[in-house]
Amino acid sequence: MSDFLQDRRVGIIERAVFVCVLISLACGCIAKAPSATVFSQGRSGKNLQVKDCLPGYIRTKLYIAWDEEKGKLFAELEKGAQKGLPVPLYDAQTHTINLLETAAKCGDVGLLSELSAYVLIPFRYLKVREGIRTWADESGKVADTQSRSQFMYLVARALNMIADIPVGVRTEPMNQLVAVAPEIMYEHYKSWIIERPSFEVTAWKCHGHEKDATKRGRYYYFTHHDFLKYKRARELTAGEGERAFCNAIVDTDMWIVSGLVELVAARERMPDLFKYSPKDRKWMNEYFEVAVGYIEDALVEMKLVDFKGKVVKGVVVEPGIWNEHPEHAYTAYTGAEYPSEKDKAVDPKTSWDISHARRLVHVMGTLYRNHGITGSSFPDDEMMRRLANQYAYGVFDKNLRWPLFYNFIDGTNGWYRVGYAGRKNFGYRPYRLSNAAVTGGYGFWKKYNSDVEKINASLWRMLESDDPKVQEFVKKYYPGSASFRNLALIQFLPVFVKD
């Protein structure tokens, strides 16, 4: 990590003070270290910044939080990447994707440069495994596909944003990311989608299409293209009464397709990013048809009532498909006491929990922006409005003074993940996933529903309040925001960017 990224502290008031830094550089008062040059490019004569893209006070708070937290984030990713651990890859995307979106919308080249340097870190610690350069721990175990695909979506999105920046304005970390990451990422996507069968549901005691699979040990594996094709057709559960979730779409599925879409979109504008042949484009087109169609099939219309009492349309992901999964065993139990065996009860319409559903913000945004890449008109404006409606009227409890959010996007508010991974007394009580509304990026959907902006304002008033009662409320229902405030602000405040 450069001295710039480790040690440079941004002015406490707001980043506008960097005008002073540029003046100092001009008169030779400050040493022109490479890192300072990298930063100054963001405020050069080729100014890309969008004026007033964030409210001033919000902008100040956001940049202070980032400058105070980034050293820790860089160190954690560096340490985890050195050891080949998957969780730091997963967390990197969760923690910074919203900030990345707003940095691009604001044209903040300096911040985009820092984020480029951040996502570059894991690319210094690759090992050759499964025929590709990837991340693996000291024993040689490859990081799980979910963590890798989630991280690579972040990188692909960053590359697509860099493509918007004139070559002469791009910084050293941006150029390094463009030079290093694309080929490695394309290796992953090609391996997953058409070359190396790596996806299975045999571990869930599901079966189907064994003759079309590759058997390794006890499990039957498919390429991601075939995996999605069979799941979309509901063909990976051969017997009546078997688990419906064998065919469920999961977040890894969404990250792989959306990450590849972003990477190809970046390559459309930077043709030297990585090489592929007409034959490669053919399998991509076939894959996009299956994958995007599968996501479209998974979204089911739901009727809602808005703030004014008007009936509107929302949308949820495969309601009821996870009913037989242990994590959903108590979704109909809403009691305050920790549930016992007799409290097991499943709400049949339950969809995704609101923490996992945050994937929809960015995945659907990618598909919406890139119809030309996917060859599909999905999602359209109406679908984006329905997603925003679902958050505003299906998840939010409509109390702007004391905002809370139901545990599941369909409005179910029962217990989730009781005893998860064998943890004693573990489980998410009703409303206890509310912090996902702060950190999940849902506020970006204000573009499609103005009531989302009211929810954003309500959450900000709550987080900023010095009223002891409100602070206790935050500690109870938003413990992540209370305990890790800077990290929460880095994820929440970007949603105030002006569309």
Side-chain angles (χ1 to χ4, degrees), residues 316-320 322 328 349-353 408-410 412:
V316 295
V317 183
E318 297 184 317
W322 292 99
H328 283 233
K349 70 178 187 303
T350 305
S351 181
W352 280 19
D353 67 276
F408 299 90
I409 61 170
D410 61 278
T412 300

Side-chain angles (χ1 to χ4, degrees), residues 308-324:
K308 297 179 180 179
K310 179 183 176 182
V311 176
V312 296
K313 292 179 180 179
V315 66
V316 295
V317 183
E318 297 184 317
I321 203 167
W322 292 99
N323 287 349
E324 298 152 305

